[in-house]
Amino acid sequence: MNRPRVILTARWPEPVEAQLMRRYDVTLNLDDHPFTVEELKQAMRAYDAVCPTVVDPVTAEVIQVKPSRCRILANFGVGVNHIDLEAAKSREITVTNTPGVLTDCTADLAMTLLLMTARRAGEGERLLRRGSWRGWRPTQLLGTRVSGKTLGIIGMGRIGLAMARRAAHGFGMKIRYYHPRPVDPTLLEGMAAVACESIDALLPRCDFVSLHCPGGEKNRHLIDARRIGLMPAHSYLINTARGDVVDTKALIRALKEGTIRGAGLDVYENEPRLDPELTRLENVVLLPHLGSATAETREAMGWRVLKNLDAFFGGQAPPDRVV
Ligand code: DGY
């Protein structure tokens, strides 16, 4: 029997690629180049399973290509805002993702950004690297104390909760959160977390705000100039969710004018292109979408995709079906 044809749009951890190749007729992206729209369309035409990542715009145009062989889009990643789910549904293409396995590492990175921005770690490192450090001074690079402060979390799903636990248990932070649905109280035990009825109600009373909501049209510029204006002048914004959740121009203005004190960003509008103004600001820490970037997590994400493919081609419901 012919094995299903599977294509990966990026290099994956080696053990996962090897295992995939034992089970399927796999095409690897050996030079790890970003796929063009034409390559994505070609993948839809020629493969039973297409395995994209966050950088692949799997738009309606790509999905509606004819003829198409693709029956499953098995995404390597939890966020699926780069895939047109309605178009996939209408073509009866299954979409899966990789939830759970990247929760801890993404929350770790959000905490890293929070600490780095508060303690001006990026500025300190740049000072050393350019050879400008003249020694310890009582007033040099004074940051903001993190312990005991208030963290606002927008999106109290798995990653939001993991961030809340780190902040509450590790740093004694008070937690306020906004989530569009009620959160199971057992998940909040030991945190004295306060639910806010709206984002507007949350923002004015936080020292730090961390975003953990999905991207996509619904949440585009959820944090816009007006909402940034609701944040206290001493507060910081952390984004490990998706770049388009924040209006970058409004954020830059706020950082320049001191409407807020700083920001820590791992994700950007129009990734990987960065607004050049961001790179000129000292009060922002910039990372290149590293949320899930640990060897352990990236391998676990790969195994999760494999599990979804095995279930799908074995005639079972894939465990992480989105559509
Ligand atoms: C995710 O899984 O959504 C990460 O941001 C990488 O895509």
Side-chain angles (χ1 to χ4, degrees):
M1 199 180 91
N2 284 344
R3 296 188 300 170
R5 300 195 73 207
V6 175
I7 185 163
L8 313 188
T9 66
R11 285 318 299 258
W12 289 13
E14 196 278 324
V16 189
E17 286 187 346
Q19 182 69 348
L20 265 168
M21 285 192 289
R22 276 179 219 116
R23 299 200 200 163
Y24 298 99
D25 176 0
V26 179
T27 297
L28 301 177
N29 177 356
L30 287 175
D31 63 3
D32 210 16
H33 68 281
F35 267 32
T36 61
V37 169
E38 204 33 63
E39 283 177 294
L40 288 172
K41 287 182 179 173
Q42 194 44 38
M44 298 296 294
R45 286 188 195 103
Y47 291 85
D48 301 292
V50 177
C51 301
T53 73
V54 62
V55 306
D56 299 308
V58 189
T59 57
E61 181 194 336
V62 168
I63 290 172
Q64 281 156 3
V65 76
K66 281 185 184 155
S68 170
R69 176 169 175 161
C70 176
R71 291 190 285 142
I72 177 168
L73 284 161
N75 189 55
F76 184 98
V78 67
V80 286
N81 58 304
H82 54 291
I83 301 176
D84 190 319
L85 298 178
E86 281 310 311
K89 207 192 262 176
S90 71
R91 295 299 296 265
E92 293 181 7
I93 294 173
T94 296
V95 178
T96 59
N97 66 348
T98 63
V101 290
L102 42 72
T103 303
D104 284 333
C105 283
T106 307
D108 288 351
L109 196 91
M111 202 66 216
T112 304
L113 279 174
L114 189 154
L115 291 166
M116 285 182 76
T117 50
R119 300 304 303 274
R120 303 177 64 179
E123 286 175 79
E125 206 202 6
R126 286 192 289 279
L127 182 85
L128 281 175
R129 285 181 185 272
R130 58 170 189 267
S132 311
W133 191 39
R134 291 187 300 123
W136 189 91
R137 313 296 304 154
T139 56
Q140 185 177 53
L141 281 179
L142 301 186
T144 297
R145 179 185 163 96
V146 168
S147 296
K149 293 285 176 65
T150 299
L151 170 64
I153 296 191
I154 297 178
M156 201 62 150
R158 290 187 197 86
I159 301 173
L161 273 163
M163 176 65 168
R165 287 193 194 105
R166 280 154 179 73
H169 301 311
F171 297 87
M173 295 180 86
K174 301 179 246 324
I175 307 296
R176 298 171 64 79
Y177 70 90
Y178 169 76
H179 194 71
R181 290 172 299 285
V183 175
D184 175 355
T186 62
L187 298 174
L188 302 169
E189 264 162 27
M191 283 198 280
V194 176
C196 297
E197 67 194 15
S198 67
I199 295 173
D200 288 10
L202 172 141
L203 293 171
R205 298 182 53 192
C206 297
D207 303 303
F208 298 88
V209 174
S210 191
L211 305 177
H212 299 285
C213 51
E217 210 35 56
K218 217 175 98 218
N219 286 342
R220 193 179 132 70
H221 291 186
L222 187 75
I223 305 300
D224 57 7
R226 185 187 69 78
R227 286 206 164 119
I228 293 172
L230 295 177
M231 294 173 65
H234 68 266
S235 66
Y236 298 81
L237 181 68
I238 309 301
N239 189 9
T240 54
R242 283 292 183 262
D244 57 4
V245 175
V246 177
D247 178 344
T248 311
K249 290 283 178 212
L251 176 64
I252 290 170
R253 224 174 302 124
L255 290 168
K256 277 181 164 170
E257 292 170 4
T259 314
I260 62 171
R261 191 169 289 164
L265 307 178
D266 187 43
V267 286
Y268 306 89
E269 290 189 270
N270 310 314
E271 260 176 60
R273 288 186 302 281
L274 231 67
D275 190 316
E277 284 206 82
L278 278 176
T279 62
R280 291 195 280 271
L281 291 171
E282 284 291 352
N283 54 346
V284 59
V285 175
L286 305 171
L287 296 178
H289 203 147
L290 293 180
S292 60
T294 63
E296 295 90 336
T297 291
R298 289 288 161 82
E299 218 178 274
M301 289 163 76
W303 294 130
R304 199 81 183 206
V305 179
L306 189 58
K307 217 169 173 183
N308 284 311
L309 291 174
D310 286 351
F312 182 82
F313 289 112
Q316 312 290 317
D320 307 312
R321 186 173 179 156
V322 179
V323 156

